[in-house]
CSV table of all heavy atoms in Angstrom, one decimal:
chain,number,residue,atom,x,y,z
A,286,GLU,N,160.4,173.8,89.5
A,286,GLU,CA,160.1,173.5,88.1
A,286,GLU,C,159.7,172.0,87.9
A,286,GLU,O,158.9,171.7,87.2
A,286,GLU,CB,161.3,173.9,87.2
A,286,GLU,CG,160.9,173.8,85.6
A,286,GLU,CD,162.0,174.2,84.8
A,286,GLU,OE1,163.0,174.9,85.4
A,286,GLU,OE2,162.1,173.8,83.6
A,287,LYS,N,160.5,171.3,88.7
A,287,LYS,CA,160.3,169.8,88.6
A,287,LYS,C,159.0,169.5,89.2
A,287,LYS,O,158.4,168.5,88.7
A,287,LYS,CB,161.5,169.1,89.4
A,287,LYS,CG,161.6,167.7,89.1
A,287,LYS,CD,162.9,167.0,89.8
A,287,LYS,CE,163.0,165.6,89.6
A,287,LYS,NZ,164.2,165.0,90.3
A,288,ALA,N,158.7,170.1,90.4
A,288,ALA,CA,157.4,169.8,91.0
A,288,ALA,C,156.3,170.2,90.1
A,288,ALA,O,155.2,169.4,89.9
A,288,ALA,CB,157.4,170.7,92.2
A,289,GLU,N,156.3,171.3,89.3
A,289,GLU,CA,155.4,171.7,88.4
A,289,GLU,C,155.2,170.7,87.3
A,289,GLU,O,154.0,170.4,86.9
A,289,GLU,CB,155.6,173.0,87.8
A,289,GLU,CG,155.6,174.2,88.8
A,289,GLU,CD,154.2,174.5,89.3
A,289,GLU,OE1,153.2,173.9,88.8
A,289,GLU,OE2,154.0,175.4,90.1
A,290,ASN,N,156.3,170.1,86.8
A,290,ASN,CA,156.2,169.1,85.8
A,290,ASN,C,155.5,167.8,86.3
A,290,ASN,O,154.6,167.3,85.6
A,290,ASN,CB,157.6,168.8,85.3
A,290,ASN,CG,157.6,167.7,84.2
A,290,ASN,OD1,157.7,166.6,84.5
A,290,ASN,ND2,157.5,168.2,83.0
A,291,PHE,N,155.8,167.5,87.6
A,291,PHE,CA,155.0,166.3,88.1
A,291,PHE,C,153.6,166.6,88.2
A,291,PHE,O,152.7,165.7,87.9
A,291,PHE,CB,155.7,166.0,89.5
A,291,PHE,CG,156.9,165.3,89.5
A,291,PHE,CD1,158.0,165.6,90.4
A,291,PHE,CD2,157.3,164.3,88.6
A,291,PHE,CE1,159.2,165.0,90.4
A,291,PHE,CE2,158.4,163.5,88.7
A,291,PHE,CZ,159.5,164.0,89.6
A,292,ARG,N,153.2,167.7,88.6
A,292,ARG,CA,151.8,168.0,88.9
A,292,ARG,C,151.1,168.1,87.6
A,292,ARG,O,149.9,167.6,87.5
A,292,ARG,CB,151.7,169.4,89.6
A,292,ARG,CG,150.2,169.8,90.1
A,292,ARG,CD,150.2,170.9,90.9
A,292,ARG,NE,150.4,172.2,90.4
A,292,ARG,CZ,149.4,173.0,90.1
A,292,ARG,NH1,148.1,172.7,90.2
A,292,ARG,NH2,149.7,174.2,89.5
A,293,ALA,N,151.8,168.7,86.5
A,293,ALA,CA,151.0,168.7,85.2
A,293,ALA,C,150.7,167.3,84.6
A,293,ALA,O,149.7,167.1,83.9
A,293,ALA,CB,151.9,169.4,84.2
A,294,ARG,N,151.5,166.3,85.1
A,294,ARG,CA,151.3,165.0,84.6
A,294,ARG,C,150.4,164.2,85.6
A,294,ARG,O,150.2,163.0,85.4
A,294,ARG,CB,152.6,164.2,84.5
A,294,ARG,CG,153.5,164.8,83.4
A,294,ARG,CD,155.0,164.4,83.6
A,294,ARG,NE,155.1,162.9,83.6
A,294,ARG,CZ,156.1,162.2,84.0
A,294,ARG,NH1,157.2,162.9,84.5
A,294,ARG,NH2,156.2,160.9,84.0
A,295,GLY,N,150.0,164.9,86.7
A,295,GLY,CA,149.0,164.2,87.7
A,295,GLY,C,149.8,163.4,88.7
A,295,GLY,O,149.2,162.6,89.4
A,296,LEU,N,151.1,163.5,88.8
A,296,LEU,CA,152.0,162.6,89.7
A,296,LEU,C,151.9,163.4,91.0
A,296,LEU,O,152.9,164.0,91.5
A,296,LEU,CB,153.3,162.4,89.1
A,296,LEU,CG,153.4,161.6,87.9
A,296,LEU,CD1,154.8,161.6,87.2
A,296,LEU,CD2,153.0,160.1,88.1
A,297,PHE,N,150.8,163.3,91.7
A,297,PHE,CA,150.6,164.3,92.9
A,297,PHE,C,151.6,164.0,94.0
A,297,PHE,O,152.2,164.8,94.7
A,297,PHE,CB,149.2,164.1,93.4
A,297,PHE,CG,148.1,164.6,92.5
A,297,PHE,CD1,146.9,164.0,92.2
A,297,PHE,CD2,148.5,165.8,91.6
A,297,PHE,CE1,146.1,164.5,91.3
A,297,PHE,CE2,147.5,166.3,90.7
A,297,PHE,CZ,146.4,165.6,90.5
A,298,SER,N,151.9,162.6,94.4
A,298,SER,CA,152.7,162.3,95.5
A,298,SER,C,154.2,162.9,95.2
A,298,SER,O,154.8,163.4,96.0
A,298,SER,CB,152.8,160.8,95.6
A,298,SER,OG,151.5,160.2,95.9
A,299,LYS,N,154.7,162.6,94.0
A,299,LYS,CA,156.1,163.0,93.7
A,299,LYS,C,156.0,164.7,93.6
A,299,LYS,O,157.1,165.3,94.1
A,299,LYS,CB,156.5,162.6,92.2
A,299,LYS,CG,156.8,161.1,92.2
A,299,LYS,CD,157.2,160.6,90.9
A,299,LYS,CE,157.8,159.1,90.9
A,299,LYS,NZ,158.2,158.7,89.6
A,300,ALA,N,155.0,165.3,93.1
A,300,ALA,CA,154.9,166.7,93.0
A,300,ALA,C,154.8,167.4,94.5
A,300,ALA,O,155.6,168.2,94.7
A,300,ALA,CB,153.6,167.1,92.4
A,301,ARG,N,154.2,166.6,95.4
A,301,ARG,CA,154.2,167.2,96.7
A,301,ARG,C,155.5,167.1,97.4
A,301,ARG,O,155.8,168.0,98.0
A,301,ARG,CB,153.1,166.3,97.6
A,301,ARG,CG,152.9,166.7,99.0
A,301,ARG,CD,152.0,165.7,99.8
A,301,ARG,NE,150.6,166.1,99.4
A,301,ARG,CZ,149.6,165.5,100.0
A,301,ARG,NH1,149.9,164.4,100.8
A,301,ARG,NH2,148.3,165.7,99.7
A,302,LEU,N,156.2,166.0,97.2
A,302,LEU,CA,157.5,166.0,97.8
A,302,LEU,C,158.5,167.0,97.3
A,302,LEU,O,159.2,167.6,98.0
A,302,LEU,CB,158.2,164.6,97.6
A,302,LEU,CG,157.4,163.4,98.4
A,302,LEU,CD1,158.0,162.1,98.0
A,302,LEU,CD2,157.6,163.6,99.9
A,303,ALA,N,158.4,167.3,96.0
A,303,ALA,CA,159.2,168.2,95.4
A,303,ALA,C,158.9,169.7,95.8
A,303,ALA,O,159.8,170.4,96.1
A,303,ALA,CB,159.1,168.1,93.8
A,304,TYR,N,157.6,170.0,96.0
A,304,TYR,CA,157.2,171.3,96.5
A,304,TYR,C,157.8,171.5,97.9
A,304,TYR,O,158.2,172.6,98.2
A,304,TYR,CB,155.7,171.5,96.5
A,304,TYR,CG,155.1,171.7,95.0
A,304,TYR,CD1,154.1,170.9,94.5
A,304,TYR,CD2,155.5,172.8,94.3
A,304,TYR,CE1,153.6,171.2,93.2
A,304,TYR,CE2,154.9,173.1,93.1
A,304,TYR,CZ,153.9,172.2,92.6
A,304,TYR,OH,153.4,172.5,91.3
A,305,LEU,N,157.6,170.5,98.7
A,305,LEU,CA,158.1,170.7,100.2
A,305,LEU,C,159.5,170.8,100.1
A,305,LEU,O,160.0,171.6,101.0
A,305,LEU,CB,157.6,169.4,100.9
A,305,LEU,CG,156.2,169.3,101.2
A,305,LEU,CD1,155.8,168.0,101.9
A,305,LEU,CD2,155.6,170.4,102.1
A,306,LEU,N,160.2,170.1,99.2
A,306,LEU,CA,161.7,170.3,99.2
A,306,LEU,C,162.1,171.5,98.8
A,306,LEU,O,163.0,172.3,99.3
A,306,LEU,CB,162.2,169.1,98.2
A,306,LEU,CG,163.8,169.2,98.0
A,306,LEU,CD1,164.5,168.9,99.5
A,306,LEU,CD2,164.1,168.2,97.1
A,307,ALA,N,161.4,172.2,97.8
A,307,ALA,CA,161.6,173.5,97.3
A,307,ALA,C,161.4,174.6,98.5
A,307,ALA,O,162.2,175.5,98.7
A,307,ALA,CB,160.6,174.0,96.2
A,308,ILE,N,160.2,174.4,99.1
A,308,ILE,CA,160.0,175.3,100.2
A,308,ILE,C,161.0,175.2,101.4
A,308,ILE,O,161.6,176.2,101.9
A,308,ILE,CB,158.6,174.9,101.1
A,308,ILE,CG1,157.4,175.3,100.0
A,308,ILE,CG2,158.3,175.5,102.4
A,308,ILE,CD1,156.1,174.7,100.3
A,309,ASN,N,161.6,174.0,101.8
A,309,ASN,CA,162.4,173.9,102.8
A,309,ASN,C,163.9,174.3,102.4
A,309,ASN,O,164.7,174.5,103.3
A,309,ASN,CB,162.5,172.4,103.2
A,309,ASN,CG,161.3,171.9,103.9
A,309,ASN,OD1,160.5,172.7,104.6
A,309,ASN,ND2,161.0,170.7,103.8
A,310,SER,N,164.1,174.3,101.1
A,310,SER,CA,165.4,174.8,100.6
A,310,SER,C,165.5,176.3,100.3
A,310,SER,O,166.5,176.8,99.9
A,310,SER,CB,165.7,174.1,99.2
A,310,SER,OG,164.9,174.5,98.2
A,311,SER,N,164.4,177.0,100.5
A,311,SER,CA,164.4,178.5,100.2
A,311,SER,C,163.6,179.4,101.1
A,311,SER,O,162.6,178.9,101.6
A,311,SER,CB,163.8,178.6,98.8
A,311,SER,OG,163.8,180.0,98.4
Side-chain angles (χ1 to χ4, degrees):
E286 186 179 346
K287 192 173 182 179
E289 292 289 355
N290 181 263
F291 283 140
R292 187 166 77 100
R294 293 164 59 197
L296 298 168
F297 296 143
S298 297
K299 289 184 177 181
R301 177 182 285 184
L302 289 173
Y304 283 123
L305 291 172
L306 182 59
I308 289 166
N309 292 332
S310 68
S311 176

